[in-house]
Amino acid sequence: MTSTGSSAFAMTLATGAMYAVTVTQQPVGPSQTCTVANGAGTVASSNVTVSVTCTTNTYGVRGSLSGLLGTGLSLRLNGGAPQPVSGSAFTLSPSIASEQMYAVTVAQQPSNPWQTCAVTNGTGTIVDLDVTDVQVVCTTNVYTVGGTVTGLAGSGLQLTMNGATVPVTGTSFTFPAIPSGTAWAVTVTAQPTSPSQTCSVTGGTGTVTNANVTTVAVTCATNAFTVGGSITGLVGTGLTLSLNSGAGQTVNGTSFTLAPLIPSGQPYTVTVAQQPTTPSQTCTVTNGSSTVGVANVTSVIVTCTTNTYTVRGTISGLAGRGLQLSLNGGVAQAVSGASFTLTPDIVSGQMYSVSVVVQPTSPSQTCTVTNGSGLIGGANVSNVALRCVTNTYTVGGTIAGLTGAGLQLRLNGGVAQAVSGTSFTLTPSIPSGQPYTVTVAQQPTNPIQTCTVMNDTGTVGGANVTTVAVACTTNTYAVGGSITGLTGTGLQLRLNGGVAQTVSGTSFTLMPSIPSGQSYTVAIAQQPTTQLCTVTNGSGTVAGSNPVVSVTCVDAFSVGGTVTGLAGSGLTLSLNGLQTVSPLMNGSFSFLNRIVNGTGYSVSVTSSPPNQTCVVTTGSAGTVSNANVTSIVVTCVQTWSIGGNVTGLTGTGLQLSLNGGAATTISMSGSYTFPTRVLNGSTYSVVVTNQPTGQLCAMNFGSGTAMAPVNTVNVFCIATPASCKGVLPIVIKQPPCQDARGAPTSVPWPH
């Protein structure tokens, strides 16, 4: 087939024959692809129409990229829209129909870095295959870096950029070109000389883009240098130096630098404008004049030495001989007359101190120094003053045995002076060679003492008198008094807890005597037969007289009786709540202290032995009447405690009763014991008289006969079941739950 339209195969087929139409060769020039519709079937009763449809083939245009470093490269196919490409290969769109022309061009060059890309094999005619040989080759653009130079007067200036160095002589410079995108930095690698200059770079760094760099600026200035040097020996302050007769400049430390800067080749002269003080010094300059070269001057030398000065002064009141002074703790130097000068001279800025090392004698004197110390300045010291006065001495000594207050002594009949402690010093001081006498002006009290003075007279010599001795002893007093109503025998008293002393009659005196200020206590050590004695004014502190004590005696009798049935220890009886007795066995007993005749008495049991109960069965109270009381009877019987254990109790208000007695409240689970005991062999019965809130409690072994301590009455408590509301459980051996009438209910009591 050569054209579109209708055509027929030369061969015909009979009705009912099979047919199949296929493409045996596709068309070219241009290349196409044809497909058959209704191309197979069976011939019927008419001609068969087969459809063949052909479309022209299209092919892609692609190629390779080399040397691409920047971004933004785009290509154009047949003048169409720009198409961005990157990497090492590309494919353009749209596909081109067979036998059509194609043309690939650069629509936009890449940047960052800036490059120029060229196309080869970029045009042709599509045949029947994709175009794959288009090539795009990119090369990076290069640009120069340069700028301007100002102030250059010397020679030898060199600049360096990225390893490349260029000499600079004029007002501008340019470095060889470098690729776009390359970072660059311009530095000065050699400064100019003749004259010496310092050049600096402004805008000296950056990255090449898409143009030559012309903005680097190099500025040069002629150098100037400082003048300075070293300082030795400087310890003062205020040293000033002058440069080229200029204003004084304060310097310190061990080195200095003066202002202003001096241009290279100019002369300089350094002089001392003001010498240092504190301390005063003299400084000289060496190497102080020359011409500035090409570096800072550091060779000027300033040498300082400290000045020295003498120390001298005046003397007033000197009458003795042998006065010696010392300067700064040095050797003693004898001085006399009205003035003195000490050696050696003292360096300015150093401290000086004048002291007396030997005082004058004949007569004995004390010389004191005024203005004797200070700091040496810039002149001789001449204001030290020495004043001498004749000595006086105190009179004093020691005190032994003083415990009271108010002791006063008198010196040479003068005013009384209070003294205390173990030593004293009296006033006024007495001139050497004068007599002294010390006497007691007032004896001490509280306690009262008698003091005597030894070594009480003498003549003051060349030192304080410390040999006077005062000895004090405390006065003692006898303790005694009167006795009233004593008819019995055997009364004994005790003084301050000492030995018992027998007294009788109507008065007494005890031994030993008591020192003043000490306390005393008189107590009854033994009562007389059939009497009870009391002490009045029996204690106090001894003052300045014998203490008077009163003893009064009245008739009194013992109280006692008998104990029966006692089987253990621990019985305690009380008389009038003031005294106790603890009988250890059956039989008679008696309280230690007697009761005044005609006075009432009351005896009670305050504690019983374990497992017994003791009570006063006869004569528990009465009145003493002219005879000892022996009629009290205490009877003890065997009793046992009743108790057990409570478990499960969480509510409050549980109360138990023993033998119908008062209720005992139980507050928590654990063991309990009734305060009431039961007689040996008697029966006991424990019941719950009040249930705890929100619980029901029952017990086992709640009754029995007490033959020993009972601790088996156990109580079990549980939360109140709904079926037992208002029910009082009685004992665990009965049905699990009973009401108040004994009717059973169902509550799961623990067993």
Side-chain angles (χ1 to χ4, degrees):
M1 299 179 67
T2 60
S3 62
T4 59
S6 61
S7 62
F9 286 98
M11 183 175 56
T12 61
L13 297 175
T15 298
M18 299 293 291
Y19 69 91
V21 178
T22 59
V23 177
T24 57
Q25 180 176 310
Q26 296 287 0
V28 295
S31 172
Q32 290 187 293
T33 299
C34 299
T35 59
V36 178
N38 195 28
T42 302
V43 176
S45 59
S46 62
N47 293 329
V48 176
T49 300
V50 177
S51 297
V52 178
T53 303
C54 297
T55 59
T56 302
N57 296 332
T58 61
Y59 298 93
V61 177
R62 58 179 181 267
S64 61
L65 294 171
S66 62
L68 179 60
L69 300 175
T71 59
L73 172 62
S74 62
L75 302 179
R76 200 185 307 271
L77 177 60
N78 289 347
Q83 301 181 48
V85 295
S86 60
S88 60
F90 64 90
T91 299
L92 301 178
S93 62
S95 298
I96 305 299
S98 178
E99 299 297 328
Q100 296 297 311
M101 297 292 292
Y102 67 90
V104 177
T105 57
V106 175
Q108 179 177 295
Q109 297 289 358
S111 62
N112 194 30
W114 293 83
Q115 292 186 289
T116 298
C117 300
V119 180
T120 57
N121 300 326
T123 61
T125 300
I126 298 294
V127 186
D128 55 0
L129 293 173
D130 289 340
V131 175
T132 61
D133 60 348
V134 180
Q135 295 180 349
V136 178
V137 178
C138 300
T139 57
T140 303
N141 302 336
V142 295
Y143 302 94
T144 60
V145 175
T148 59
V149 180
T150 58
L152 178 60
S155 60
L157 173 61
Q158 291 184 354
L159 303 179
T160 297
M161 183 193 75
N162 294 5
T165 300
V166 297
V168 180
T169 57
T171 58
S172 64
F173 64 93
T174 301
F175 283 96
I178 57 177
S180 174
T182 302
W184 53 270
V186 177
T187 59
V188 176
T189 53
Q191 296 287 2
T193 59
S194 301
S196 173
Q197 289 189 291
T198 298
C199 300
S200 58
V201 179
T202 304
T205 60
T207 301
V208 173
T209 57
N210 62 339
N212 294 330
V213 177
T214 61
T215 57
V216 181
V218 178
T219 303
C220 300
T222 301
N223 297 329
F225 300 96
T226 60
V227 175
S230 61
I231 305 173
T232 59
L234 178 62
V235 292
T237 59
L239 171 62
T240 62
L241 302 178
S242 175
L243 176 61
N244 291 345
S245 300
Q249 302 179 51
T250 301
V251 296
N252 52 41
T254 58
S255 63
F256 68 93
T257 300
L258 301 177
L261 300 176
I262 305 298
S264 176
Q266 297 298 312
Y268 66 89
T269 299
V270 177
T271 57
V272 175
Q274 178 178 297
Q275 297 289 355
T277 60
T278 318
S280 172
Q281 290 190 289
T282 299
C283 301
T284 58
V285 179
T286 306
N287 299 330
S289 298
S290 187
T291 300
V292 174
V294 295
N296 293 331
V297 176
T298 60
S299 58
V300 180
I301 300 173
V302 178
T303 304
C304 301
T305 57
T306 305
N307 303 328
T308 61
Y309 300 94
T310 59
V311 177
R312 56 179 179 262
T314 59
I315 304 174
S316 64
L318 179 60
R321 299 186 301 272
L323 173 61
Q324 294 183 3
L325 304 179
S326 173
L327 177 59
N328 288 348
V331 297
Q333 304 179 50
V335 297
S336 60
S339 64
F340 65 90
T341 299
L342 301 177
T343 58
D345 290 349
I346 305 297
V347 175
S348 176
Q350 297 297 311
M351 298 297 296
Y352 68 91
S353 178
V354 177
S355 59
V356 177
V357 293
V358 177
Q359 295 286 1
T361 60
S362 302
S364 173
Q365 289 189 293
T366 297
C367 300
T368 57
V369 180
T370 304
N371 300 325
S373 62
L375 183 71
I376 296 293
N380 295 328
V381 175
S382 60
N383 64 339
V384 180
L386 192 64
R387 180 177 179 273
C388 301
V389 295
T390 302
N391 296 330
T392 61
Y393 299 96
T394 60
V395 175
T398 59
I399 305 174
L402 178 62
T403 58
L407 173 61
Q408 295 182 355
L409 302 179
R410 202 183 305 274
L411 175 61
N412 288 346
V415 297
Q417 302 179 51
V419 296
S420 61
T422 59
S423 63
F424 67 94
T425 299
L426 301 177
T427 60
S429 297
I430 306 297
S432 177
Q434 296 298 313
Y436 67 88
T437 299
V438 177
T439 57
V440 175
Q442 178 178 290
Q443 296 289 357
T445 60
N446 194 32
I448 296 174
Q449 292 188 289
T450 299
C451 299
T452 58
V453 182
M454 296 171 286
N455 300 326
D456 54 333
T457 62
T459 300
V460 174
N464 293 331
V465 176
T466 60
T467 56
V468 180
V470 178
C472 300
T473 57
T474 304
N475 301 341
T476 60
Y477 299 90
V479 177
S482 62
I483 304 175
T484 303
L486 178 61
T487 59
T489 60
L491 172 61
Q492 293 184 348
L493 302 179
R494 200 182 306 273
L495 175 61
N496 287 349
V499 298
Q501 303 179 50
T502 301
V503 296
S504 60
T506 59
S507 65
F508 66 93
T509 299
L510 301 177
M511 296 294 290
S513 296
I514 304 298
S516 174
Q518 299 294 313
S519 61
Y520 68 90
T521 300
V522 176
I524 302 293
Q526 178 179 292
Q527 296 285 0
T529 56
T530 70
Q531 284 195 296
L532 181 65
C533 299
T534 57
V535 177
T536 305
N537 298 326
S539 62
T541 300
V542 174
S545 61
N546 296 328
V548 177
V549 180
S550 298
V551 178
T552 302
C553 301
V554 296
D555 292 339
F557 298 93
S558 64
V559 175
T562 58
V563 177
T564 63
L566 181 62
S569 61
L571 171 62
T572 302
L573 305 178
S574 172
L575 174 60
N576 291 345
L578 299 177
Q579 54 178 303
T580 60
V581 66
S582 300
L584 299 177
M585 62 184 65
N586 292 316
S588 62
F589 71 91
S590 178
F591 288 95
L592 177 64
N593 294 336
R594 290 187 285 274
I595 301 298
V596 175
N597 189 45
T599 301
Y601 66 87
S602 175
V603 177
S604 61
V605 176
T606 54
S607 65
S608 296
N611 299 323
Q612 281 196 302
T613 298
C614 299
V615 296
V616 179
T617 56
T618 302
S620 62
T623 301
V624 175
S625 180
N626 298 316
N628 294 330
V629 177
T630 60
S631 58
I632 298 170
V633 177
V634 179
T635 303
C636 298
V637 295
Q638 193 77 30
T639 60
W640 305 108
S641 61
I642 306 298
N645 193 61
V646 177
T647 59
L649 178 60
T650 59
T652 58
L654 173 62
Q655 292 184 339
L656 306 179
S657 174
L658 173 63
N659 290 341
T664 295
T665 300
I666 308 298
S667 60
M668 65 180 67
S669 294
S671 61
Y672 72 94
T673 301
F674 284 100
T676 302
R677 303 167 66 87
V678 299
L679 293 174
N680 182 46
S682 63
T683 60
Y684 63 90
S685 176
V686 179
V687 296
V688 176
T689 58
N690 190 70
Q691 294 289 350
T693 56
Q695 289 191 289
L696 288 179
C697 300
M699 68 180 67
N700 58 7
F701 308 113
S703 61
T705 299
M707 302 301 293
V710 176
N711 56 11
T712 57
V713 182
N714 297 323
V715 179
F716 305 92
C717 299
I718 63 172
T720 303
S723 59
C724 282
K725 295 295 183 180
V727 174
L728 177 65
I730 303 302
V731 293
I732 198 169
K733 294 301 184 180
Q734 293 174 332
C737 190
Q738 288 185 339
D739 60 20
R741 299 183 304 278
T745 63
S746 177
V747 177
W749 292 103
H751 292 273

